[in-house]
Amino acid sequence: MKRRVVRFTLNGEQREIAVYPNDLLLNVLREQESLTGTKYGCGIGECGACAVHVDGQPVLSCLKLAVAVEGCDVVTIEGLARDGELDVVQEAFLDHSAVQCGFCTPGMVMMGRALLDEKSAPTEDEVREHMRGQLCRCTGYAGIVRAVIDAGQREAGVEAGVAQ
Ligand code: FES
Ligand code: FES
């Protein structure tokens, strides 16, 4: 099998990477680009640990061929902070102690960020529905849901208390 060059934007930088036709985006990000923030959980689309953004949409990178991102804009957890400032979703995860072992966190944050990009100040039901494919084996989800709600409220400028 021959490699081919795929050209895409990765965390704001233009990249040209030689990949095999059956290489998964997840493996290319982790092994060729050393972006290990994106996690390999199940490898079959059932845990959400590998979530990244492709052209602004949340995508499970374990189900996406690397050749399929030709010409796309790919953002990983490493690309979320800007100019040394954490994204509001990352800040809210810290503030709500929504992290325990941290394995699920990059996928959770990317999925939460994608929701806020589509929907300002989502409700708890909307957050739970959007995040239903994201598995966490540690925290019990309450802090994660609170963090996403709070991040949405902060971004929308809503003064509302999120129960701790
Ligand atoms: S590693 Fe992709 S969904 Fe689990
Ligand atoms: S914090 Fe450990 S799996 Fe979610």
Side-chain angles (χ1 to χ4, degrees):
M1 214 183 310
K2 281 178 62 175
R3 290 191 192 211
R4 56 167 277 196
V5 173
V6 58
R7 297 173 181 80
F8 61 105
T9 304
L10 179 56
N11 295 336
E13 291 186 2
Q14 199 59 40
R15 305 290 295 137
E16 293 188 4
I17 305 172
V19 301
Y20 290 108
N22 61 350
D23 275 342
L24 295 169
L25 179 59
L26 172 61
N27 295 334
V28 169
L29 292 173
R30 289 180 56 83
E31 292 165 19
Q32 291 182 236
E33 294 299 295
S34 300
L35 294 174
T36 55
T38 304
K39 300 302 184 212
Y40 187 116
C42 64
I44 54 172
E46 292 190 348
C47 74
C50 65
V52 299
H53 295 177
V54 176
D55 289 342
Q57 297 298 312
V59 163
L60 298 177
S61 59
C62 73
L63 299 182
K64 187 90 173 169
L65 289 173
V67 292
V69 300
E70 173 75 38
C72 293
D73 181 24
V74 178
V75 178
T76 69
I77 189 71
E78 290 88 349
L80 217 53
R82 291 287 159 86
D83 301 323
E85 296 281 324
L86 292 179
D87 184 86
V88 65
V89 179
Q90 293 172 303
E91 286 180 352
F93 267 64
L94 291 173
D95 293 345
H96 288 272
S97 303
V99 179
Q100 198 162 319
C101 79
F103 193 85
C104 70
T105 307
M108 293 284 186
V109 169
M110 296 307 282
M111 200 58 78
R113 181 65 261 167
L115 174 59
L116 300 191
D117 287 342
E118 286 210 344
K119 169 91 187 166
S120 180
T123 65
E124 178 173 345
D125 284 349
E126 288 168 336
V127 171
R128 288 189 180 276
E129 170 66 16
H130 182 80
M131 308 284 282
R132 71 187 187 285
Q134 305 299 117
L135 301 187
C136 175
R137 296 184 184 278
C138 302
T139 66
Y141 301 102
I144 291 169
V145 170
R146 279 198 300 266
V148 177
I149 294 170
D150 189 28
Q153 291 176 342
R154 290 185 203 183
E155 230 171 35
V158 176
E159 278 299 324
V162 176
Q164 294 290 326

